[in-house]
Amino acid sequence: MIHKRFIIIGTIFLICLSVLLGRLSQIQLFETKSFTDRNINLIEESVKQRSQEMVIDNGRGKFYDRNMVPLTYEAVPSLILFPFLKKMEWDVEKVASIIGVRENEILQALEAAEEPIVFGKPEPIVLTETQMKAINQLKIPGVFAVKKQYDRKIPPAAQLIGLVGQNEKQISLRYPEKNIPKNTNIGISGLQKSFDEFLLQEENTKLIYHVDGHGGPLFGIDVKYTDPSNPFYPVNVQTTIDGEIQKKAEEIAERHKLKKGGLILVDIDTNSIIASVSRPEMNESNPYGNDGAKNYMLTAQIPGSVFKTVIAAAAIDAQLVPQNRTFDCSRTIHGEIDQQFQHGMIDFTKSFAVSCNNTFATLAKELNEIDKNMIETYAKKLGLTEEVGWQGDVYHFDDFKQLADEEKGQIFLSDAERKDSKLVAQTGIGQQNVRITPLQAANMMATIARGGEKKMVRAVSSIRYKNGTTLYQFPEKKLKGDTLAPYTISKLQQLLREVVVDEEGTGRYLKNLPYEVAGKSGTAQTYRYNENGQEYVNKWFVGYFPFDQPKYALAVVYLDALSTDGSVTPIFQDMVTYLSHLNGQ
């Protein structure tokens, strides 16, 4: 009986010991970097418990502008001090004299420090290259001059670049076969999301000092600089944004108090985004609040009269607008006397310049009688019904999209709309269910300026390894599908210029700029009202310049504006003036 009890007790003991050994093996050998379903890195956590460290670089790939100037971070030459300095004698006087402060300021900062600090409050003191070299030549343990990287919470072109954050569910969905710690930052929106797999966080670059349980030195006063050994990853992304132009565009939007909407500037030659501003502005403390994280340059909006460009192209090809044809522009699209505009009987060119609704509603109905799909066909020829951002196969990424958040445009939602002449008339003036993005509008202007050649719009030109060599170069790519005939494009160019040079043209206030402008205005009804019964409208101006040698296409839009909020033309004007001066005009 006693022997049997010993066997039972011994068996239980062996089982418990086996479980304990198995648990220890799991912790020490098998799951050291991904312990439990939370993927805890036990090695990192144990190091944290017995070390003090200053992270210099968080290890995620970075974004740069087209001149390789950082967009998402700032490298600040800083003085790093470790807390063990307050327990030892060191040449604080020499360090203080190099950076031009009193000894006592450094000692006071150290007195309150329990972890490594960046010297200077509230902002770190920015060192010169000479000061950094002088400090590091002293070789004082615990005193370092390094370029510490600070992530910009709100970078330039914030909505285009996008946000990063921690999301365990998204990590599991995106990377089910990868062993990625659940606290890893991933791209949530914008280019951060599109390029996330390239940018995934590697090991930190840091200064590290090992301590015992009381915070004392474990291996003397040796501070180590640790840098990931991989010279290639994480990669860096070179965008097509021009940092200086982007900064100016944001200043202009701010000066004109643009509340909702924005502007997008495209280089016509390469069809690349040079600047992109979306409002409301992203808030640092709550980036998702008030739609601040939303990129309105990629969301489809009611375009109003901007869409008349499509109707004009179709009408020219269908030979509906001979020189001697006139339209009654003192009447609305439904035939009543227009209480706002009394242009009388005018021809097609004048109609486009003054943006006569009756002309384009009439032409839309005539086009629809010829072919129920004609309006959509011509919208597609100008890139308004498809995604226009760069996409294609990139290594193992099938159909990779640079602009993952981009929306498509739309014209009709049903056959019933195509059969209703009143709805077709509304469609012809860019109302009803017509929706396009500001990016598509700018791209349409670039297409016309280039002579009809359709291209994808790039926001990124290349992906670069950490050592600076190129991983992938994004080539210029054509958009598939039919294009407009050269004659039609030529007529559109003339029409767009008339909008500015005609004495009654809706863009006449842009006439005397350093660059000659061609473009189209639009004021779209939203059929939504404020508490005072005032209707919200979308105000647009899209165009290109200089007219004879096109270089830039620009779309500016003020969404959900009131009539008292003023025009977007001054914003367009300021951008044109700035760019002309930038180029020495």
Side-chain angles (χ1 to χ4, degrees):
M1 188 70 175
I2 295 174
H3 179 70
K4 187 175 181 181
R5 287 178 182 173
F6 274 122
I7 292 175
I8 293 172
I9 293 171
T11 301
I12 293 173
F13 176 78
L14 286 173
I15 291 172
C16 291
L17 182 62
S18 298
V19 171
L20 180 61
L21 288 172
R23 186 64 166 174
L24 286 171
S25 297
Q26 179 188 19
I27 294 171
Q28 297 284 344
L29 300 174
F30 303 118
E31 295 185 12
T32 56
K33 293 187 178 182
S34 57
F35 184 63
T36 76
D37 58 356
R38 293 168 59 196
N39 281 0
I40 299 171
N41 190 320
L42 295 173
I43 295 176
E44 286 185 359
E45 294 302 318
S46 65
V47 170
K48 285 180 182 178
Q49 288 181 352
R50 53 185 173 83
S51 66
Q52 294 177 345
E53 62 183 46
M54 171 65 68
V55 175
I56 309 301
D57 179 357
N58 66 13
R60 182 172 172 83
K62 310 293 193 296
F63 285 90
Y64 294 79
D65 79 352
R66 64 180 181 176
N67 299 311
M68 288 306 292
V69 176
L71 291 174
T72 50
Y73 76 95
E74 185 178 7
V76 180
S78 306
L79 175 63
I80 309 297
L81 302 172
F82 276 72
F84 63 75
L85 288 165
K86 59 188 173 185
K87 298 180 181 179
M88 58 180 281
E89 291 186 6
W90 57 287
D91 202 343
V92 63
E93 180 182 358
K94 183 66 71 68
V95 174
S97 67
I98 290 172
I99 64 175
V101 301
R102 297 191 303 273
E103 295 177 45
N104 197 44
E105 291 181 56
I106 296 177
L107 294 174
Q108 283 181 349
L110 275 171
E111 194 59 39
E114 296 183 0
E115 295 180 343
I117 61 170
V118 177
F119 179 68
K121 285 187 177 182
E123 297 294 328
I125 291 179
V126 180
L127 307 178
T128 65
E129 291 290 338
T130 301
Q131 288 173 325
M132 290 182 67
K133 185 177 180 180
I135 290 169
N136 289 330
Q137 283 179 342
L138 296 175
K139 296 183 179 180
I140 300 173
V143 178
F144 299 90
V146 299
K147 289 185 178 179
K148 177 170 169 51
Q149 293 189 6
Y150 294 88
D151 287 337
R152 289 190 173 110
K153 292 185 178 180
I154 308 297
Q159 293 85 353
L160 177 66
I161 297 297
L163 293 166
V164 295
Q166 295 179 6
N167 189 315
E168 291 186 22
K169 184 177 180 180
Q170 279 298 313
I171 289 176
S172 299
L173 289 173
R174 289 186 201 176
Y175 311 113
E177 298 177 359
K178 289 190 176 184
N179 185 18
I180 299 175
K182 298 302 182 183
N183 63 349
T184 299
N185 281 327
I186 61 171
I188 304 299
S189 65
L191 297 178
Q192 291 279 16
K193 178 181 177 182
S194 301
F195 287 83
D196 189 54
E197 190 161 352
F198 292 104
L199 300 167
L200 279 173
Q201 190 171 324
E202 295 283 321
E203 294 178 32
N204 294 334
T205 298
K206 55 193 174 185
L207 293 166
I208 187 168
Y209 168 64
H210 296 284
V211 297
D212 60 22
H214 302 286
L218 191 61
F219 305 117
I221 52 176
D222 183 27
V223 177
K224 294 182 178 180
Y225 178 87
T226 65
D227 187 24
S229 58
N230 192 329
F232 300 107
Y233 293 93
V235 300
N236 296 311
V237 175
Q238 182 181 18
T239 71
T240 60
I241 293 292
D242 185 299
E244 289 303 312
I245 297 176
Q246 175 66 37
K247 181 181 178 181
K248 189 64 178 182
E250 293 185 6
E251 287 177 3
I252 290 172
E254 184 69 22
R255 184 165 68 246
H256 289 280
K257 296 180 172 55
L258 185 60
K259 300 171 188 174
K260 183 178 180 181
L263 65 88
I264 188 159
L265 180 70
V266 172
D267 178 277
I268 289 173
D269 183 39
T270 63
N271 224 43
S272 301
I273 299 172
I274 301 174
S276 178
V277 178
S278 181
R279 291 293 182 268
E281 193 171 9
M282 197 181 288
N283 186 299
E284 185 174 317
S285 60
N286 182 20
Y288 293 98
N290 196 32
D291 279 343
K294 191 168 187 175
N295 188 353
Y296 280 104
M297 298 302 95
L298 304 182
T299 60
Q301 311 292 338
I302 308 171
S305 295
V306 169
F307 190 72
K308 291 172 183 174
T309 310
V310 174
I311 303 301
I316 292 167
D317 276 2
Q319 300 181 349
L320 296 178
V321 285
Q323 287 187 352
N324 61 353
R325 184 176 181 183
T326 59
F327 302 84
D328 188 351
C329 288
S330 294
R331 294 188 178 275
T332 69
I333 64 174
H334 302 303
E336 299 97 351
I337 298 296
D338 194 321
Q339 300 299 320
Q340 187 175 4
F341 300 107
Q342 288 290 307
H343 293 296
M345 300 297 294
I346 58 177
D347 64 16
F348 175 64
T349 300
K350 184 77 171 182
S351 292
F352 193 85
V354 301
S355 202
C356 171
N357 283 341
N358 193 33
T359 299
F360 291 90
T362 300
L363 291 172
K365 289 186 284 186
E366 292 176 7
L367 291 167
N368 200 57
E369 286 297 316
I370 297 170
D371 181 350
K372 291 290 191 290
N373 296 311
M374 185 173 283
I375 295 175
E376 286 168 308
T377 297
Y378 275 80
K380 184 174 177 60
K381 286 183 178 184
L382 286 168
L384 298 184
T385 58
E386 58 193 319
E387 295 170 345
V388 297
W390 196 100
Q391 55 186 288
D393 295 338
V394 179
Y395 294 115
H396 64 281
F397 297 94
D398 295 331
D399 196 27
F400 177 83
K401 295 180 180 180
Q402 288 192 1
L403 303 174
D405 301 329
E406 182 189 4
E407 295 180 2
K408 293 181 179 180
Q410 65 183 42
I411 312 302
F412 293 107
L413 292 184
S414 67
D415 285 335
E417 288 181 29
R418 296 182 183 88
K419 295 174 182 177
D420 188 318
S421 63
K422 290 185 178 181
L423 298 184
V424 171
Q426 288 281 349
T427 300
I429 61 171
Q431 294 286 161
Q432 192 55 25
N433 285 310
V434 179
R435 301 289 186 276
I436 67 172
T437 69
L439 175 67
Q440 289 172 323
N443 183 59
M444 175 175 69
M445 290 294 120
T447 299
I448 295 169
R450 275 194 304 269
E453 182 186 12
K454 295 197 307 184
K455 291 183 179 182
M456 295 181 184
V457 182
R458 295 187 305 171
V460 171
S461 59
S462 68
I463 305 173
R464 294 174 176 252
Y465 288 117
K466 188 169 68 173
N467 64 8
T469 58
T470 300
L471 167 62
Y472 187 81
Q473 192 85 28
F474 290 94
E476 295 176 30
K477 291 183 68 175
K478 292 184 177 181
L479 274 174
K480 295 179 181 179
D482 295 336
T483 58
L484 294 177
Y487 173 79
T488 308
I489 287 290
S490 177
K491 295 296 289 184
L492 286 179
Q493 291 171 347
Q494 294 171 30
L495 290 172
L496 292 167
R497 181 62 181 151
E498 281 295 316
V499 170
V500 177
V501 299
D502 188 287
E503 62 183 11
E504 295 181 283
T506 56
R508 60 188 178 276
Y509 298 112
L510 301 171
K511 183 177 180 179
N512 296 316
L513 298 181
Y515 279 150
E516 292 183 339
V517 173
K520 185 72 188 77
S521 63
T523 302
Q525 294 176 274
T526 65
Y527 306 104
R528 294 185 295 104
Y529 302 84
N530 67 8
E531 62 276 6
N532 298 320
Q534 297 171 293
E535 185 178 12
Y536 293 114
V537 295
N538 294 340
K539 299 182 179 185
W540 298 70
F541 197 91
V542 303
Y544 67 90
F545 51 92
F547 177 65
D548 290 330
Q549 294 181 310
K551 184 175 178 63
Y552 303 106
L554 175 63
V556 184
V557 60
Y558 191 164
L559 301 172
D560 292 347
L562 298 175
S563 59
T564 54
D565 287 328
S567 158
V568 295
T569 306
I571 298 176
F572 198 101
Q573 176 180 333
D574 284 358
M575 280 300 298
V576 174
T577 302
Y578 164 72
L579 290 167
S580 67
H581 291 162
L582 185 68
N583 293 313
Q585 294 296 312

